[in-house]
Amino acid sequence: MSDRLFLVKYGEVSLKKGNRPTFMRALRLAIRRRLPGSSVYESWHRIYVECRDRDAPAAAEVLRQTFGLVSYGEAVRAPKEMPAISDAAAGLAASFVAAGLGTRFKVEVRRADKRFPLTSYQIACELGDRILRDVPGLKVDVHQPEWVLAVEIREEAYLYGPESPGPGGLPVGCSGRGVLLLSGGIDSPVAGWMMAKRGLGLEAAYFHTPPFTSGEAREKVIALTRILAGWDPRILLHVVPLTAFVARIRERAPEEETTLLMRAGMMRAAGILAHRRDAGCLVTGESLGQVASQTVESIGFTGSRIDLPVFRPLCGMDKEEIIGLARRIGTFETSTLPYDDCCVLFSPVHPLIRPDRAHMEASWNGLDADTLLAEALERVETIRL
Ligand code: ATP
Ligand code: MG
C-alpha cells in the first residue's frame, strides 16, 4: 500500500458531457505519465494519486503544473465508521495547529454516499466536538475560519485540509497540437503556456540565424522549452536555420521592410512545419501595438503567407500583465537573460508601421522565399527534452 494520498478536483472537464471520457482519460494520462511510480485512478468525480513517501514532493509539483486541475491536496483515508473518522480528524487537526494554521476552524462534510447513517451536519458536529476535546485552544468559527477540515464520505472516508489551487484549463493535448513560434523573449513562452492551458499540445519552432545570433541565444530557447515542458511534457523544439533567407532579404528588399519580411518568412516556414508535423495551428507572442511589426496592418501582412489558424493569445494584454504571467510560469528570469534575437539585430532604423500591402507583396515575390525556406526546413534540428 502507498504511503501518501492526494485528492484531486477537476473543473471544466466535468462539464464536457459527450467528451467527458476523452477528457478524463487525457487528464489521468497527463498525471500518470509524469508519475510512473504512483497509482492514479478516478472515482466519483475525484482523481486519487497514491505514491510513496519520497515521491510526494514530486507528485505535488506535477499536480501544480497539470492543466485541467482545479485543486489538489493531501488527504488521509479512513474506514467509513465514525470512530475511525473521528480519530483521523483529531490527528489532522493537531497537525494543522502544529503547522501554525491558526486556532479558528470549521469542519465541512460532503456525504457523497447517501447510505451513510449520519447526515453531513451530524458528522460535522460530532467531529467538531471531538477536535475541541482533543486539541486544546481551538474554537469553531463557521463564518471566518482560519482553516477548514474537509471530510468526504465516499467509497471510504477522505479527510483533508487546505487545498492548493491547480492551474485550471483543459488537459494538454485534448485540443490538438500547434506550432509555437518561440523566440528568447518574454512574450512567446507565455503565449505557448496560455494555449497549452486550453489543451493545445505544443511543438516549438525557433528561427536561428548564425553567426548573427549566438549559440547562447539557442541555449536560452532550449532552456525556455525545458521550462514549458513542466507544463507540457511532450513539447519538442525545432531549431530552423534562417540565415540564408535573412541574407536574401537584406540583399533584395528595402531596409525598412526587413522585420516584416523576416516575420512573414518565419510564419510561412512554421506553417509548412505544422503541416509536416500534423499540427493544426500556429501560436505567436504578438501583442497588438507593442512594436511596429505588431500593428493591425503589419500583422495583416506577416500572417498572410499561411493557411492555418494563428493564435495570438497575448493580443489584448499589456506588457505588465504578460510579465506577471511569465513570473508565475517560471520563464521570466530566463527570458530576461541578455540575448540577441534576429528580429532585434536586423531591426530597421525606421520600421514600417503601416506597411503598404502591394509593396510588401512585390518585395516578398522578389525573394524566391519558398525555395530558401524549403532548404531551411531540410536542415531543421529537432530537440526532444
Ligand atoms: P518575444 O518576447 O516572444 O520575443 P517580442 O515582443 O519580442 O516577443 P517580436 O520579437 O516582435 O516580439 O516577435 C513577435 C513574435 O514573433 C514572437 O512572440 C514570436 O512568436 C515570434 N518570433 C520572433 N522572433 C522569433 C524567432 N527567432 N524564432 C521564433 N519565433 C520568433
Ligand atoms: Mg522578441
Side-chain angles (χ1 to χ4, degrees):
M1 205 41 177
S2 293
D3 314 312
R4 308 276 283 269
L5 171 72
F6 289 87
L7 182 144
V8 176
K9 298 180 184 170
Y10 44 85
E12 201 167 346
V13 285
S14 59
L15 303 176
K16 310 260 169 198
K17 288 219 165 54
N19 294 327
R20 191 171 179 280
T22 318
F23 283 84
M24 288 313 303
R25 204 175 314 119
L27 193 49
R28 280 195 309 270
L29 201 66
I31 302 172
R32 203 170 277 153
R33 209 182 270 133
R34 289 201 275 171
L35 293 173
S38 308
S39 140
V40 180
Y41 54 92
E42 187 205 353
S43 173
W44 288 18
H45 296 281
R46 296 283 183 263
I47 289 177
Y48 299 94
V49 178
E50 289 183 28
C51 64
R52 284 164 303 194
D53 229 357
R54 62 180 149 107
D55 294 333
E61 185 58 12
V62 162
L63 296 175
R64 186 181 75 79
Q65 294 194 305
T66 302
F67 290 120
L69 301 191
V70 168
S71 67
Y72 59 92
E74 233 191 303
V76 297
R77 195 179 357 218
K80 250 188 313 195
E81 304 150 359
M82 276 319 281
I85 297 173
S86 300
D87 287 349
L92 263 188
S95 74
F96 295 157
V97 173
L101 296 192
T103 53
R104 286 180 287 115
F105 79 101
K106 169 182 176 181
V107 178
E108 260 174 23
V109 179
R110 191 188 303 246
R111 193 178 58 130
D113 178 359
K114 302 296 180 205
R115 292 167 312 180
F116 194 78
L118 302 186
T119 65
S120 297
Y121 181 71
Q122 288 169 325
I123 300 169
C125 292
E126 195 165 313
L127 296 182
D129 287 345
R130 168 69 189 270
I131 290 170
L132 288 172
R133 247 193 342 266
D134 271 34
V135 190
L138 294 189
K139 187 172 174 338
V140 173
D141 184 343
V142 290
H143 301 298
Q144 283 189 310
E146 287 170 293
W147 50 267
V148 174
L149 176 81
V151 181
E152 301 195 359
I153 310 289
R154 301 172 166 278
E155 323 68 14
E156 296 180 84
Y158 296 90
L159 298 89
Y160 54 93
E163 297 164 273
S164 305
L170 302 172
V172 170
C174 69
S175 300
R177 269 172 333 115
V179 171
L180 166 68
L181 283 87
L182 183 64
S183 71
I186 296 171
D187 301 331
S188 40
V190 175
W193 181 87
M194 285 180 74
M195 295 310 297
K197 181 175 180 191
R198 295 308 302 165
L200 192 72
L202 300 175
E203 296 206 2
Y206 167 59
F207 295 94
H208 191 35
T209 46
F212 305 113
T213 50
S214 62
E216 282 96 337
R218 178 178 166 281
E219 289 304 317
K220 182 179 173 178
V221 176
I222 296 174
L224 285 171
T225 311
R226 198 164 281 131
I227 297 171
L228 287 176
W231 301 90
D232 176 3
R234 300 218 277 184
I235 191 170
L236 298 175
L237 173 64
H238 305 284
V239 178
V240 188
L242 209 64
T243 313
F245 179 67
V246 172
R248 175 69 58 84
I249 295 174
R250 301 224 290 172
E251 213 173 273
R252 296 196 185 169
E255 200 238 6
E256 66 272 17
E257 294 178 3
T258 312
T259 311
L260 294 182
L261 291 168
M262 212 158 63
R263 189 61 49 68
M266 289 182 188
M267 301 279 278
R268 178 142 181 93
I272 298 169
L273 192 61
H275 279 298
R276 199 192 273 179
R277 303 285 309 170
D278 209 18
C281 63
L282 302 188
V283 180
T284 79
E286 290 162 307
S287 168
L288 190 62
Q290 198 188 76
V291 287
S293 57
Q294 296 175 17
T295 63
V296 171
E297 293 83 351
S298 296
I299 290 178
F301 172 69
T302 57
S304 65
R305 311 286 106 189
I306 39 165
D307 56 0
L308 289 176
V310 179
F311 294 103
R312 301 175 177 87
L314 310 186
C315 227
M317 288 172 73
D318 294 345
K319 196 75 187 186
E320 283 312 309
E321 296 173 80
I322 299 170
I323 288 174
L325 265 181
R327 287 189 197 280
R328 175 171 158 217
I329 300 164
T331 52
F332 183 74
E333 304 222 315
T334 305
S335 285
T336 46
L337 294 171
Y339 90 114
D340 41 352
D341 185 44
C342 51
C343 297
V344 181
L345 284 180
F346 303 119
S347 100
V349 189
H350 300 291
L352 295 174
I353 294 171
R354 295 216 162 74
D356 178 86
R357 194 61 175 265
H359 268 146
M360 295 306 304
E361 301 279 344
S363 300
W364 174 269
N365 291 335
L367 296 176
D368 192 14
D370 279 346
T371 308
L372 292 177
L373 295 177
E375 281 168 15
L377 286 169
E378 256 162 48
R379 294 171 44 227
V380 57
E381 175 200 5
T382 296
I383 300 173
R384 284 163 211 280
L385 290 120

